[in-house]
Amino acid sequence: MLVHFLFLVFMAVGGFLAWRRPRLIWAHLAVAAWGVASVITGMECPLTVVEDWGRRNAGQEGLPAGGFIDHYIEGVVYPEEHTNLARLAVAALVLVSWAGYLRRKARAGSPPHVNQE
């Protein structure tokens, strides 16, 4: 469960981490692409499959049909009727983090400002 939650946190804010560690941008792009694909196609996350397997082998009840997000996030962190708003907020965070990353990268690549007075 903890790994799954950290994965979702990285999906939301990993682009900001790439501001300090630029190589993380590639991992974040992959995670964000997975997030978009899973929302669009409804694919089950492999982490949900692993968690469900672990819960069942530990003698616990498996995750409900909606998976990790339906069980731990929706209705707990935000009301279920605001799912689309939460998705938009995460998408906005990702886009802002990428814009900031690109801006920092452009600044790092530009020549230093020379005062020509």
Side-chain angles (χ1 to χ4, degrees):
M1 178 183 85
L2 181 61
V3 171
H4 213 156
F5 185 74
L6 291 173
F7 182 85
L8 290 175
V9 169
F10 183 72
M11 184 183 306
V13 299
F16 293 107
L17 297 174
W19 291 13
R20 302 287 271 168
R21 305 257 189 241
R23 291 183 182 181
L24 284 176
I25 198 66
W26 298 109
H28 189 253
L29 285 167
V31 168
W34 169 257
V36 169
S38 68
V39 167
I40 291 172
T41 66
M43 289 186 294
E44 187 172 33
C45 177
L47 291 172
T48 298
V49 174
V50 170
E51 182 180 347
D52 193 52
W53 174 84
R55 290 171 62 96
R56 290 180 190 280
N57 283 331
Q60 297 179 1
E61 187 176 314
L63 287 172
F68 181 86
I69 292 177
D70 285 355
H71 185 69
Y72 293 110
I73 308 292
E74 286 181 354
V76 177
V77 176
Y78 57 85
E80 286 184 49
E81 60 269 15
H82 296 300
T83 297
N84 288 332
L85 182 60
R87 288 176 177 167
L88 284 173
V90 170
L93 273 175
V94 170
L95 293 174
V96 167
S97 72
W98 288 351
Y101 170 82
L102 292 173
R103 185 172 182 212
R104 286 174 171 257
K105 187 173 179 172
R107 274 191 188 167
S110 65
H113 179 69
V114 178
N115 191 359
Q116 297 180 0
E117 288 182 24

